[in-house]
Amino acid sequence: MSTEQNLASAITSAELSDAIKAATHDVFLTMLGVELKPGEVYTEKTEAAPASGVVSLIGLAGPWVGTGSLSCSAGFACRIAGQMLMTEYPGICEDVLDAVAEITNMIVGNVKTTLENRVGSMLLSTPTVIYGRNFQTRSARNQEWTIVPFEWDGERMCVQVCIVPNPDAVSNAVRPGFPVPHMLNV
């Protein structure tokens, strides 16, 4: 697939949200034995309000670049780890953060695989997991995020993806790396 074809194959918000829903459903059902209820999909370009909890981020690189993210409360993260590792976690610890990173890696990896059918081969970065209170994440280039909220027994988790054509691909000089940086205000 040529660079021109990659860039002409725009990914719609509907396609992206369908890929997020399918990937999240498959990962949670297969790995955790849990069926999540998806909520109303929305897009957001404005800077997120300060939040508390757990956020896991993974970069995407190739003819399209961006970031995939999972965010949830500390309690939701403990439930993910508990279900995945078959033990109870009363609070955030290394096992909980590792479990959230792995679930994020699987979800965003499945979304990437779905999108590759349209835009060509992409790479994933290693997940970065952040836990705390009153922190804020934002994309340095203020791109649009497709956000899909999910519910599990009254608790909410969001999976979001921001992906755009790689500006370096236009000149046929696709370089490894992640040219759309993700910034964190702490």
Side-chain angles (χ1 to χ4, degrees):
M1 184 178 291
S2 74
T3 301
E4 292 78 23
Q5 289 171 317
N6 285 337
L7 297 179
S9 300
I11 300 167
T12 67
S13 181
E15 290 170 316
L16 190 52
S17 66
D18 287 347
I20 293 168
K21 286 178 189 176
T24 305
H25 176 268
D26 291 350
V27 168
F28 267 76
L29 194 58
T30 302
M31 299 304 298
L32 307 177
V34 172
E35 227 174 302
L36 296 178
K37 179 184 173 196
E40 188 70 31
V41 177
Y42 60 100
T43 58
E44 194 169 278
K45 190 171 181 168
T46 59
E47 198 169 284
S52 297
V54 178
V55 175
S56 181
L57 305 159
I58 296 183
L60 297 156
W64 285 63
V65 294
T67 305
S69 173
L70 182 150
S71 60
C72 62
S73 68
F76 198 105
C78 290
R79 288 188 73 191
I80 288 172
Q83 198 74 17
M84 186 175 186
L85 303 172
M86 295 186 193
T87 190
E88 207 169 300
Y89 291 97
I92 297 295
C93 64
E94 190 173 331
D95 286 346
V96 171
L97 297 177
D98 287 346
V100 171
E102 187 54 36
I103 291 295
T104 306
N105 191 44
M106 289 185 263
I107 291 170
V108 177
N110 286 349
V111 170
K112 174 192 83 73
T113 300
T114 299
L115 297 179
E116 285 177 326
N117 294 328
R118 292 278 313 276
V119 301
S121 183
M122 290 189 289
L123 303 170
L124 284 178
S125 71
T126 302
T128 298
V129 183
I130 301 152
Y131 165 65
R133 293 186 186 99
N134 198 29
F135 64 86
Q136 187 173 20
T137 63
R138 70 179 177 93
S139 177
R141 292 192 181 171
N142 198 24
Q143 300 295 327
E144 185 172 271
W145 290 83
T146 297
I147 304 166
V148 183
F150 293 90
E151 186 182 310
W152 181 10
D153 293 337
E155 287 198 64
R156 184 177 172 182
M157 170 190 83
C158 289
V159 177
Q160 57 189 35
V161 175
C162 171
I163 189 163
V164 296
N166 184 344
D168 292 336
V170 174
S171 66
N172 291 323
V174 177
R175 64 178 192 246
F178 302 91
V180 179
H182 195 87
M183 299 176 80
L184 173 68
N185 296 336
V186 181

